[in-house]
Amino acid sequence: MEHILTPKVEEVKLLDRYTAKKPAIGTLYLTATHLIFVETSCNTRKETWMLHHLIATVEKLPLTAMGFPLHISCKNFHVAHFVISSETDCQNVHQSLVRLSQPGKVEELYAFLYNPKQDEDERRNGWGFIDSAMDFKRMGLPNEVWEMTDLNKNYELCSTYHSQLGIPKTASKGTVFGSAKFRSRGRIPTLSYYHKESNAAICRCSQPLSGLSARCVEDEEMLQAISRANPKSTFMYVVDTRPKLNAMANRAAGKGYENEDNYSNIRFQFVGIENIHVMRNSLQKLLEVCAMKSPTMSDYLTGLENSGWLRHIKAVMDAGVFLAKAVAEDKVSVLVHCSDGWDRTAQVCSLASILLDPFYRTIKGLMVLIEKEWIAMGHKFTQRCGHVDGDPKEVSPVFTQFIECLWNLMEQYPCGFEYNEKYLLEIHNHVYSCQFGNFIGNCQREREEMRLYERTFSVWPFLWENRHQYRNPLHKCSLGREVLRPSTLPLNFKFWCGMYNHFDKGMQPKQSILDLLLTITQKKAESEKKMTDLQRQLAVMDGVLADQGSPTGTSPEQTSLSPVSVSHTAENAKPLMNGAAVEEAEIELVSTAGSEKMEPVAIEN
Amino acid sequence: RSDRSTHAAKPPFAMSSDNVAISAEFSPELRVLRDSNKEEPQLLPKESVQDMAKDVTYICPYIGALRGTLTVTNYRLFFKCMDRVSFVLDLPLGVVSRVEKIGGASSRGEVSYGLVCKDIRNLRFAHKQMEDSLIKSIFEILMKFAFPVSNGLTIFAFEYGQVYPENGWKVYDAQAEYKRQGLPNESWRITKVNDHYELCDTYPSTLVVPVNIPDEELKRVAAFRAKGRIPVLSWIHPESQATVIRCSQPMVGVNGKRSKDDEKYLQTIMDANAQSHKLFIFDARPSVNAAANKMKGGGYESEDAYQNAELVFLDIHNIHVMRESLRKLKEVVYPNIEESHWFSNLESTHWLEHIKLILAGALRIADKVESGKTSVVVHCSDGWDRTAQLTSLAMLMLDGHYRTIRGFQVLLEKEWLSFGHRFQLRIGHGDKNHTDADRSPVFLQFIDCVWQMIRQFPAAFEFNEYFLITILDHLYSCLFGTFMCNSEQQRVKEELPKKTVSLWAYINSQLEEFTNPLYVNYSNHVLFPVVSMRHLELWVGYYIRWNPRMRPQEPVHQRYKELLAKRAELQKRVEELQREVTNRSAASSSERAGSPTRSITPVQTFV
């Protein structure tokens, strides 16, 4: 609290980002964790909350006729433009926010304060809710060629990897440790996804320390072992996700890429995704386009084009498609790396997994995937998201791009995903908000050292509890093991209003199909419940059931009283039972859709 | 109890398992593929084969060269490839805008022909040169039948005799439509002055004008408006009585001519709406163009002459600019799309900018009428292109009736057909003169704008995207009489309702296909779309539909229907059970006083 100089400012104006309509007037509060704006100018109480840690920039703008403007932009793309009448107040709020938005150390993050009123057991169970190791079991590991090893249990092999790693059985301990010495930061080739149907695998690692001519027998053995684990193919792809120029520049620094001559039976390939700095600048340009008040078509389209953002999204998607095709169609294993193997590699591997495996297109599956490919494999969340005051050059929207790729896929496959856009936005929000411990820390070891599992809560059980909000009503399980082959024509990559204009109500489409469908599923669920109730009543009348509260036992007669079997999804097609029905039913929360949103809006000129 | 068990045996809901459905429906090519194995097309009534050629090569920009049989009838071109891939091309000849022989005979003795189409594609064929120069090539036959007007033949619509359950020509009845709007009333009357198209030959016979203006004065007003297209009522707000009025430009000329009659007339229009003491005149053109029209005797209303009127220019460009924009768009999207620079290439066409200006103009009109409760006068130069776009879009925003399938048909019949949008000239039905300066995609732009609105209000329209695409396909097909001729007068003269079939007869015979499953009747709502660039998109489902990489991947409409059907089925079951419970409890109420059934309220019908 010592950073809050003025906890409350009255008569603050909140300007609309795009239109010149009358600003909202209200009171601004600064709490230990949030900035809260309570609108007093309208009849209904409207509140705007901003978590301090979500604030990316706070800027004082030049004095205007209205007062002293304060421009705040958040990492979840919430932008607020306040005008404060007193200079001192503006100065104080600015100073406080600058400090509060950039905690000096991790312990100041919201997750360490947040208490959802759970006891220790619940906290522990919560952290156990998603277990990425289980996912390897689901893929069929260990099997005759792949095994899970705990060679990294003390993080001695690789400090930024998880303790459990999937490696080929034929790779000896010597091979593994030898290979680690030849890979940047010891990030050895390890299993990311095993495709049961083809026996082909996606593995990931960091760049080799090949420099201009260096070789490493163990590393060559390691790749050979991975390649041989898929006996049906005579070769394996090694995909370097960087542009060739960047990879070559790394050679001068003693790093680089695999020489096809030194490794037997590899086919080497660059896919040309730009580095974190290019991505950071690209997003900045995209946000500038997004901030334009009423762009002409020229401004808007050339702005989009010049930002390069959608081109980068396409590049990531193209790479994911390449991997999925190699594994599923050509039945060839792939080893993927970039420089350190924690940014582009994470993007590409997780995207390929989604294309290959419908499990990752489910609500729980996406949690597992993020836990496995991002958290366990050491994507540096603390640095990339800028959770604490640090090197701004380490900040980059790598995870945002992954989520955006996923959204683009969902646009092409409206029935292919169990989750909806809200789920993606919620996850993205939590990655930056630090309300939960999951996305704090740069790697597993750091998280253990911070004792995050004892001091913070996991986001996954929380999301799971609210899963009804995140369900895609169009989802169809019957798609089975189908591999997705999205079109990557440039026109398929669109500006994501739902993400970048999420908080600008005037910019939202007036009617959302998703909200409509969620309403429909809610009504469906209500009807189901009603039906169960009525069936129960009939049963009571018939004297089959005792005239009392909820049913306890099930008798044969009772079962026959549930005539219509309603299958939400192919897998849980069970007859509708009195109690069970309510539990299984998709009761959806519905935001105010329909008539309210259809009200006229001011014309944007 | 046993009754209920029989119910139990039924499957939850039997939905069609035809998953090919919608995605294939949107593509005319695929649709034919399903039901034809023959080399020849399934002929329509009065359709006859004119020529047939084997070993013709269709050079498909996506698949490559395909060898097959080409058939030309008096209605269509039909190409079927019988070897390695089963491929069909089925194209009404009306779609063809030009046929050109490309180069001379190749070394293999093949001649190649290019077909430029009105629906954003070009086709290329090649076949052996005829050894006997007296025998006509199939492409010469094709040219004859593709351009019947230029060759003294009749357009196929006049021959096609298919009988449909409904007479589509009866969809629109001007009197009935005005009656629906509450007209005539104390301020507005229906005049017979144009019964024989003497006041204005491009206007409909039924016109709504202010009560206080006698027919004689109308004639004087007509003298001051281009082509005699006087200001008349298109739509009236049911509550505020604010009106949408359309007309052509005033004949102001370089000397700034004025007309007391015209000024009084507009004043009367303003006075008919007691809610406002202002009148907005929306001139669709850029102000520069409007001023330039003075040189040709036209112009715009000066605010000196028209007191209480405010003139607004909407900056929409003319038919020539639009034609050029579409030409560029076609270059960018057909056949292939460049991997890079998509946005700047799209930008260079300015297509979306034009769409934005049209929608923004319509939005301002609708906003003035709805929020400002002010009457508006809309015109451009002649009042049959941009004016039709603006009034019809504004009416679509203001009046939910036009958002139903039949209402939309009425809107087209009224604002476009009866008010003389010159379809024959703009589309050039059966005319080989493809360079005609009168061609312009004005109607296509309107449909594009409607699609943009559907995207923003997915539940507010009774029709779906396929409905819009079907309208555009038959805009060119020359199968139906609907889009023939330039005015109501011409249609009456040509006896179109007698001699041709209306497109609406066909559409209304299979409404299911054109219905939006998510439609909710929001008839009392006014729709104000967001016209920011961020919310306008290129209509890829139309402009890029020939690209196989753009085919919709999943039949999402089918899923909507499934969801809705499931819910409806559940509701039905609930109602049945409800009835049973009520009946039963009524029968045994004396015995079971504590029965809970009474507290149950009937289930509402949702959505």
Side-chain angles (χ1 to χ4, degrees):
Chain A
M1 293 297 277
E2 73 267 31
H3 306 299
I4 299 169
L5 305 165
T6 311
K8 179 178 172 186
V9 187
E10 283 173 348
E11 291 293 304
V12 172
K13 297 182 193 76
L14 175 60
L15 307 187
D16 189 274
R17 201 173 161 200
Y18 293 103
T19 60
K21 70 177 179 203
K22 245 176 73 190
I25 299 168
T27 310
L28 190 75
Y29 298 91
L30 288 187
T31 74
T33 53
H34 289 84
L35 173 158
I36 305 164
F37 177 76
V38 182
E39 201 175 324
T40 48
S41 54
C42 70
N43 300 328
T44 51
R45 187 184 165 88
K46 249 171 75 185
E47 293 177 6
T48 307
W49 287 57
M50 279 177 158
L51 185 66
H52 295 326
H53 302 146
L54 271 174
I55 294 173
T57 59
V58 199
E59 246 183 300
K60 275 191 299 177
L61 301 180
L63 176 68
T64 68
M66 272 194 281
F68 297 87
L70 193 64
H71 192 270
I72 300 175
S73 61
C74 297
K75 294 166 186 170
N76 59 357
F77 309 113
H78 189 174
V79 172
H81 195 151
F82 293 109
V83 180
I84 298 170
S85 34
S86 133
E87 185 172 13
T88 329
D89 285 340
C90 182
Q91 173 65 34
N92 287 350
V93 171
H94 177 261
Q95 204 181 323
S96 306
L97 286 178
V98 166
R99 177 62 190 83
L100 291 166
S101 64
Q102 283 169 331
K105 51 185 197 297
V106 168
E107 281 70 18
E108 288 175 37
L109 290 169
Y110 188 34
F112 293 92
L113 299 169
Y114 177 68
N115 187 347
K117 298 194 179 64
Q118 287 187 348
D119 61 29
E120 269 318 299
D121 278 351
E122 285 171 301
R123 187 207 296 261
R124 207 171 315 114
N125 290 341
W127 279 111
F129 183 69
I130 294 297
D131 179 3
S132 60
M134 284 300 289
D135 197 44
F136 288 106
K137 240 179 225 158
R138 191 187 62 87
M139 290 180 217
L141 255 66
N143 61 15
E144 57 284 5
V145 282
W146 290 95
E147 65 180 5
M148 296 304 295
T149 164
D150 58 0
L151 287 175
N152 197 36
K153 65 170 181 276
N154 298 320
Y155 305 109
E156 281 159 359
L157 182 65
C158 169
S159 64
T160 57
Y161 267 0
H162 193 257
S163 54
Q164 294 286 317
L165 299 173
I167 57 165
K169 261 191 182 159
T170 53
S172 68
K173 198 175 164 184
T175 304
V176 172
F177 274 89
S179 171
K181 287 204 175 64
F182 192 64
R183 291 278 163 184
S184 186
R185 298 171 206 271
R187 293 174 67 93
I188 54 155
T190 172
L191 186 73
S192 159
Y193 182 73
Y194 176 72
H195 192 246
K196 264 188 270 188
E197 289 79 357
S198 67
N199 295 323
I202 297 176
C203 294
R204 54 182 290 179
C205 59
S206 62
Q207 64 186 336
L209 303 176
S210 51
L212 296 171
S213 61
R215 291 183 63 164
C216 167
V217 182
E218 290 91 343
D219 193 60
E220 288 162 25
E221 280 172 7
M222 187 73 185
L223 264 64
Q224 182 95 36
I226 292 172
S227 184
R228 286 212 183 121
N230 175 16
K232 274 184 244 153
S233 172
T234 54
F235 70 97
M236 153 172 96
Y237 284 114
V238 175
V239 172
D240 189 328
T241 56
R242 299 169 293 185
K244 188 173 180 184
L245 261 174
N246 301 22
M248 284 175 57
N250 264 294
R251 285 173 67 182
K255 297 163 191 171
Y257 53 93
E258 292 80 358
N259 182 340
E260 276 189 8
D261 299 338
N262 297 343
Y263 293 84
S264 51
N265 306 320
I266 66 159
R267 284 192 197 167
F268 186 83
Q269 178 113 17
F270 288 109
V271 292
I273 303 172
E274 300 287 348
N275 65 25
I276 57 166
H277 312 295
V278 174
M279 300 309 190
R280 181 178 54 244
N281 293 334
S282 172
L283 178 64
Q284 195 48 47
K285 284 189 197 149
L286 180 83
L287 294 177
E288 280 163 23
V289 174
C290 185
M292 290 194 283
K293 278 210 159 64
S294 54
T296 65
M297 185 187 67
S298 259
D299 293 344
Y300 181 70
L301 291 178
T302 43
L304 262 190
E305 174 102 22
N306 294 338
S307 78
W309 182 254
L310 295 174
R311 197 175 68 237
H312 299 314
I313 299 290
K314 174 174 152 57
V316 175
M317 187 78 98
D318 274 325
V321 170
F322 176 86
L323 258 59
K325 187 179 169 291
V327 168
E329 283 175 34
D330 311 340
K331 301 181 173 30
V332 175
S333 292
V334 192
L335 175 66
V336 188
H337 68 74
C338 43
S339 297
D340 291 312
W342 51 40
D343 293 316
R344 288 168 273 202
T345 301
Q347 289 177 329
V348 168
C349 288
S350 43
L351 205 54
S353 298
I354 288 168
L355 295 174
L356 288 166
D357 194 334
F359 173 65
Y360 301 120
R361 296 172 224 149
T362 64
I363 291 176
K364 204 164 191 173
L366 185 61
M367 297 178 183
V368 170
L369 186 70
I370 293 172
E371 192 69 44
K372 183 163 80 83
E373 293 300 314
W374 293 82
I375 296 174
M377 296 306 282
H379 174 69
K380 304 197 289 176
F381 278 106
T382 295
Q383 290 191 354
R384 293 289 176 262
C385 303
H387 287 332
V388 290
D389 197 15
D391 183 358
K393 285 210 160 59
E394 285 288 342
V395 177
S396 189
V398 176
F399 188 79
T400 305
Q401 288 185 317
F402 162 64
I403 290 288
E404 191 163 332
C405 282
L406 201 40
W407 174 75
N408 274 297
L409 262 185
M410 281 161 53
E411 286 286 286
Q412 283 196 47
Y413 293 94
C415 312
F417 291 78
E418 189 194 19
Y419 39 87
N420 60 34
E421 186 186 13
K422 290 175 204 278
Y423 187 53
L424 299 186
L425 294 172
E426 192 67 11
I427 290 177
H428 184 263
N429 203 38
H430 280 299
V431 164
Y432 285 94
S433 76
C434 295
Q435 185 177 350
F436 295 91
N438 304 62
F439 306 104
I440 297 175
N442 290 317
C443 62
Q444 204 64 21
R445 196 177 71 165
E446 256 188 52
R447 284 183 200 98
E448 281 174 18
E449 284 167 2
M450 281 187 269
R451 296 188 296 116
L452 275 179
Y453 310 109
E454 296 154 45
R455 299 163 72 193
T456 69
F457 294 86
S458 167
V459 71
W460 306 129
F462 172 80
L463 290 174
W464 183 248
E465 218 165 276
N466 294 308
R467 63 188 176 280
H468 51 270
Q469 294 177 44
Y470 307 130
R471 210 162 255 169
N472 169 17
L474 297 175
H475 180 234
K476 230 179 170 167
C477 277
S478 58
L479 289 169
R481 300 286 296 171
E482 194 204 358
V483 175
L484 302 185
R485 287 179 193 81
S487 158
T488 57
L489 279 179
L491 52 91
N492 284 307
F493 298 90
K494 295 174 197 158
F495 176 76
W496 188 6
C497 256
M499 173 72 100
Y500 301 102
N501 288 119
H502 184 67
F503 298 91
D504 308 301
K505 289 298 166 233
M507 295 304 290
Q508 300 291 324
K510 297 285 153 26
Q511 267 184 346
S512 125
I513 293 196
L514 178 59
D515 286 339
L516 266 162
L517 293 176
L518 286 175
T519 317
I520 290 171
T521 30
Q522 186 204 19
K523 303 287 186 206
K524 216 175 82 190
E526 280 167 12
S527 295
E528 273 163 15
K529 191 175 173 302
K530 190 112 209 168
M531 192 168 74
T532 327
D533 288 351
L534 289 168
Q535 281 163 354
R536 237 190 83 72
Q537 280 180 34
L538 285 173
V540 170
M541 287 176 181
D542 290 341
V544 175
L545 273 179
D547 189 358
Q548 53 172 290
S550 62
T552 40
T554 38
S555 62
E557 288 94 334
Q558 248 178 285
T559 320
S560 70
L561 277 171
S562 313
V564 181
S565 94
V566 182
S567 54
H568 305 291
T569 53
E571 63 215 351
N572 60 16
K574 46 178 98 150
L576 196 62
M577 284 305 301
N578 292 334
V582 187
E583 202 178 284
E584 293 287 337
E586 303 158 23
I587 302 167
E588 312 283 8
L589 271 186
V590 182
S591 64
T592 47
S595 59
E596 215 187 284
K597 285 200 176 171
M598 307 259 298
E599 274 174 25
V601 288
I603 302 168
E604 187 192 337
N605 267 320
Chain B
R1 281 276 314 274
S2 57
D3 280 10
R4 283 205 303 281
S5 314
T6 1
H7 277 294
K10 274 193 206 162
F13 190 76
M15 268 310 296
S16 131
S17 61
D18 182 15
N19 273 340
V20 221
I22 300 300
S23 57
E25 300 299 341
F26 280 127
S27 151
E29 266 179 56
L30 275 185
R31 199 132 75 117
V32 182
L33 208 64
R34 272 193 282 165
D35 46 63
S36 108
N37 283 312
K38 292 185 295 179
E39 285 190 9
E40 282 175 54
Q42 199 103 48
L43 294 182
L44 297 171
K46 303 283 177 63
E47 185 184 3
S48 56
V49 173
Q50 304 298 324
D51 197 9
M52 218 170 152
K54 290 195 187 294
D55 290 331
V56 172
T57 308
Y58 166 56
I59 301 147
C60 173
Y62 308 108
I63 312 174
L66 297 161
R67 237 169 162 51
T69 306
L70 182 68
T71 311
V72 170
T73 74
N74 51 347
Y75 169 65
R76 80 181 87 201
L77 172 158
F78 187 84
F79 173 83
K80 185 149 173 65
C81 166
M82 299 303 275
D83 48 68
R84 58 187 176 94
V85 270
S86 163
F87 178 88
V88 166
L89 192 69
D90 185 2
L91 167 95
L93 292 176
V95 170
V96 179
S97 138
R98 114 192 186 209
V99 182
E100 52 187 2
K101 199 167 167 180
I102 303 169
S106 71
S107 53
R108 286 159 60 207
E110 288 206 322
V111 209
S112 117
Y113 289 88
L115 270 62
V116 177
C117 298
K118 295 169 183 172
D119 62 357
I120 326 290
R121 53 182 165 161
N122 298 328
L123 306 172
R124 206 162 151 190
F125 294 94
H127 82 136
K128 279 225 163 52
Q129 186 138 38
M130 294 293 142
E131 280 155 27
D132 182 347
S133 59
L134 289 175
I135 300 176
K136 275 190 178 165
S137 150
I138 188 166
F139 290 96
E140 285 168 63
I141 307 281
L142 175 100
M143 272 187 253
K144 189 173 151 198
F145 287 92
F147 309 116
V149 172
S150 308
N151 293 305
L153 299 169
T154 41
I155 287 179
F156 185 71
F158 289 90
E159 296 177 40
Y160 177 59
Q162 183 75 49
V163 178
Y164 289 98
E166 182 185 332
N167 180 355
W169 291 106
K170 298 249 189 273
V171 162
Y172 177 60
D173 169 359
Q175 302 273 354
E177 166 57 18
Y178 289 121
K179 196 171 169 212
R180 186 190 68 84
Q181 293 189 24
L183 299 166
N185 63 15
E186 65 277 12
S187 308
W188 297 91
R189 67 184 179 101
I190 292 176
T191 171
K192 299 268 173 204
V193 69
N194 204 35
D195 244 9
H196 302 289
Y197 308 105
E198 279 160 356
L199 179 80
C200 170
D201 60 359
T202 57
Y203 259 11
S205 59
T206 306
L207 297 173
V208 178
V209 295
V211 163
N212 302 334
I213 307 288
D215 287 352
E216 276 318 299
E217 281 186 40
L218 293 179
K219 286 175 189 163
R220 290 201 294 273
V221 173
F224 190 64
R225 290 279 164 181
K227 313 262 188 330
R229 296 173 66 94
I230 59 164
V232 293
L233 180 145
S234 265
W235 190 78
I236 183 162
H237 195 287
E239 281 146 28
S240 71
Q241 303 288 299
T243 51
V244 176
I245 309 290
R246 62 181 292 173
C247 58
S248 61
Q249 65 184 339
M251 301 307 281
V252 174
V254 267
N255 300 322
K257 223 169 65 189
R258 289 175 57 166
S259 157
K260 283 278 162 247
D261 294 300
D262 196 71
E263 287 160 26
K264 179 190 166 199
Y265 188 67
L266 290 197
Q267 183 64 39
T268 315
I269 287 170
M270 194 194 88
D271 293 341
N273 169 22
Q275 304 263 357
S276 173
H277 300 292
K278 255 191 124 64
L279 181 72
F280 272 85
I281 301 174
F282 287 99
D283 188 325
R285 303 166 291 184
S287 59
V288 186
N289 300 30
N293 260 288
K294 286 186 177 174
M295 306 303 289
K296 292 181 267 175
Y300 52 88
E301 295 82 356
S302 75
E303 285 177 18
D304 294 342
Y306 297 84
Q307 305 260 312
N308 306 321
E310 196 175 324
L311 182 71
V312 179
F313 293 103
L314 295 177
D315 290 322
I316 301 169
H317 283 279
N318 65 25
I319 58 167
H320 312 294
V321 175
M322 301 310 188
R323 181 177 58 238
E324 179 59 14
S325 174
L326 183 66
R327 190 191 62 74
K328 283 190 191 149
L329 180 67
K330 185 169 170 175
E331 261 175 21
V332 168
V333 302
Y334 189 89
N336 289 305
I337 290 154
E338 265 185 61
E339 281 285 312
S340 53
H341 308 301
W342 163 247
F343 287 105
S344 41
N345 287 341
L346 183 61
E347 192 268 331
S348 71
T349 72
H350 297 288
W351 184 257
L352 284 177
E353 190 175 357
H354 298 313
I355 297 291
K356 178 192 166 166
L357 283 170
I358 296 164
L359 267 174
L363 183 64
R364 290 180 74 171
I365 293 167
D367 180 57
K368 271 285 164 281
V369 173
E370 174 67 24
S371 321
K373 298 184 168 62
T374 306
S375 292
V376 297
V377 173
V378 185
H379 70 71
C380 43
S381 299
D382 292 316
W384 50 41
D385 292 313
R386 287 165 275 197
T387 300
Q389 290 175 331
L390 290 167
T391 55
S392 54
L393 284 169
M395 286 158 74
L396 204 57
M397 294 172 194
L398 290 163
D399 190 338
H401 175 64
Y402 301 124
R403 303 194 287 261
T404 64
I405 291 181
R406 280 170 185 277
F408 192 74
Q409 294 168 1
V410 166
L411 184 70
L412 292 191
E413 287 282 349
K414 181 176 181 308
E415 290 302 303
W416 289 83
L417 292 156
S418 85
F419 275 96
H421 173 68
R422 306 197 294 170
F423 279 102
Q424 175 63 40
L425 273 173
R426 295 286 175 260
I427 308 301
H429 297 305
D431 188 345
K432 72 171 180 190
N433 185 10
H434 60 85
T435 55
D436 194 318
D438 270 318
R439 307 276 179 272
S440 191
V442 175
F443 184 73
L444 168 64
Q445 286 184 317
F446 160 70
I447 296 288
D448 191 325
C449 291
V450 175
W451 178 81
Q452 306 280 354
M453 281 182 67
I454 287 187
R455 278 194 63 256
Q456 292 194 26
F457 301 96
F461 292 82
E462 193 191 7
F463 47 86
N464 58 20
E465 181 182 16
Y466 181 50
F467 175 72
L468 298 180
I469 292 178
T470 304
I471 291 176
L472 288 177
D473 280 344
H474 289 295
L475 170 66
Y476 309 120
S477 76
C478 292
L479 184 60
F480 300 100
T482 301
F483 298 113
M484 299 287 139
C485 300
N486 291 318
S487 65
E488 189 180 291
Q489 186 197 31
Q490 282 182 14
R491 274 178 211 104
V492 170
K493 197 169 144 243
E494 297 280 340
E495 297 179 286
L496 280 181
K498 220 173 93 189
K499 294 182 175 165
T500 70
V501 180
S502 158
L503 172 59
W504 315 133
Y506 161 72
I507 284 188
N508 294 343
S509 72
Q510 41 189 54
L511 285 175
E512 172 75 353
E513 277 200 66
F514 303 109
T515 305
N516 167 17
L518 297 178
Y519 175 60
V520 183
N521 189 356
Y522 287 116
S523 53
N524 296 324
H525 287 276
V526 175
L527 306 185
F528 287 141
V530 185
V531 293
S532 133
M533 279 318 304
R534 277 172 269 256
H535 287 90
L536 300 182
E537 250 182 55
L538 183 72
W539 185 11
V540 292
Y542 181 74
Y543 301 106
I544 312 189
R545 65 181 159 149
W546 310 118
N547 190 327
R549 283 177 76 187
M550 276 321 292
R551 293 253 155 83
Q553 306 237 14
E554 286 183 289
V556 64
H557 288 252
Q558 196 60 34
R559 284 292 289 148
Y560 293 159
K561 282 189 193 164
E562 277 173 35
L563 271 179
L564 289 160
K566 247 185 207 155
R567 199 205 48 191
E569 171 76 9
L570 271 168
Q571 251 169 49
K572 219 179 102 203
R573 281 288 298 143
V574 167
E575 278 156 29
E576 276 170 26
L577 286 165
Q578 186 98 60
R579 233 173 291 129
E580 204 172 334
V581 169
T582 318
N583 292 343
R584 204 95 65 88
S585 71
S588 62
S589 58
S590 50
E591 299 155 42
R592 289 170 175 271
S595 166
T597 49
R598 295 288 176 220
S599 63
I600 290 170
T601 48
V603 186
Q604 292 169 38
T605 315
F606 305 106
V607 178

